[in-house]
Amino acid sequence: LEKAITELHLSVVLTTHHLEEIEGLARLQHRVTIMVDGRLQCLGSLSQLKQSLGDSYELTVKVRDKGAEEEVRALIARQWPDAVLTEGTQLRLTYQVLKADSSLSAMFQFVEDNRKTGITDYSINETSLEQVFMRIGERALRDEDAEAYNDEEHSNLHAPFPPCGEPGMPPPRTEWM
């Protein structure tokens, strides 16, 4: 497959529902499209999709006990008021922190400076491919809802997709010809 693409300059179209396969093929540095209900939603390399749709970091913190958990929750709420708690179970807290609100280095510095509060372990991750796919699917559903209720009373449901894909390329068509 790699030889056909790189040496013979052929185009290959593969379809899958498995994110592992997409990430495995991403090393070939080629474009990926995401479709929802037969409509093309996005086109670009995986890094471009993650950059344009990955607007947050995932901060996961493990704490030693319930008292530390409450203190860490309060610290994070003060540091990043717009952070969203996406999981909070068994002394483990996972937050979505907007990239606009913090840099990676500032996040690491914050956690290291506050380890004495009872933080036993932590991780900070970029947006995953799964999160990008979920976000695109959610936006497609919102767009579908907006089309169904396309009147002034419901016009605030529509949220356009952010720019996505390769620089200088027109946005992908969302209808098949």
Side-chain angles (χ1 to χ4, degrees):
L1 179 64
E2 189 171 357
K3 181 180 179 182
I5 293 170
T6 56
E7 293 177 19
L8 302 175
H9 305 289
L10 298 176
S11 295
V12 178
V13 177
L14 302 171
T15 61
T16 185
H17 287 97
H18 301 285
L19 298 179
E20 299 85 21
E21 291 174 355
I22 296 166
E23 288 179 326
L25 291 170
R27 66 180 178 75
L28 298 175
Q29 303 288 323
H30 291 279
R31 294 183 291 184
V32 173
T33 63
I34 300 172
M35 293 180 68
V36 177
D37 293 330
R39 290 183 171 188
L40 185 65
Q41 301 293 322
C42 212
L43 171 67
S45 69
L46 283 183
S47 62
Q48 289 166 334
L49 297 182
K50 286 182 178 184
Q51 184 178 20
S52 64
L53 295 164
D55 60 354
S56 60
Y57 297 113
E58 183 180 80
L59 169 64
T60 301
V61 180
K62 291 183 183 179
V63 294
R64 73 171 172 262
D65 56 36
K66 280 289 191 191
E69 180 181 327
E70 293 306 314
E71 189 173 351
V72 169
R73 282 179 186 250
L75 281 168
I76 290 173
R78 278 194 303 273
Q79 182 70 20
W80 300 294
D82 294 329
V84 176
L85 179 66
T86 58
E87 183 183 341
T89 58
Q90 299 180 358
L91 305 177
R92 184 175 149 205
L93 305 170
T94 301
Y95 287 89
Q96 186 176 8
V97 179
L98 293 175
K99 287 181 177 180
D101 292 344
S102 189
S103 66
L104 271 177
S105 60
M107 290 180 73
F108 278 107
Q109 188 65 53
F110 172 81
V111 176
E112 284 297 323
D113 290 347
N114 289 287
R115 287 200 69 147
K116 63 187 174 297
T117 61
I119 296 172
T120 60
D121 194 17
Y122 70 93
S123 67
I124 301 170
N125 299 299
E126 294 267 342
T127 302
S128 71
L129 183 58
E130 180 179 4
Q131 290 167 321
V132 168
F133 273 74
M134 296 299 291
R135 193 163 292 140
I136 288 172
E138 289 167 2
R139 289 181 181 170
L141 287 174
R142 277 200 317 261
D143 284 351
E144 193 174 281
D145 287 345
E147 287 176 18
Y149 298 100
N150 197 11
D151 59 34
E152 286 192 30
E153 182 180 343
H154 297 97
S155 64
N156 63 341
L157 291 175
H158 182 70
F161 283 96
C164 182
E166 298 175 12
M169 286 188 64
R173 296 180 65 110
T174 58
E175 297 288 337
W176 291 109
M177 300 182 80

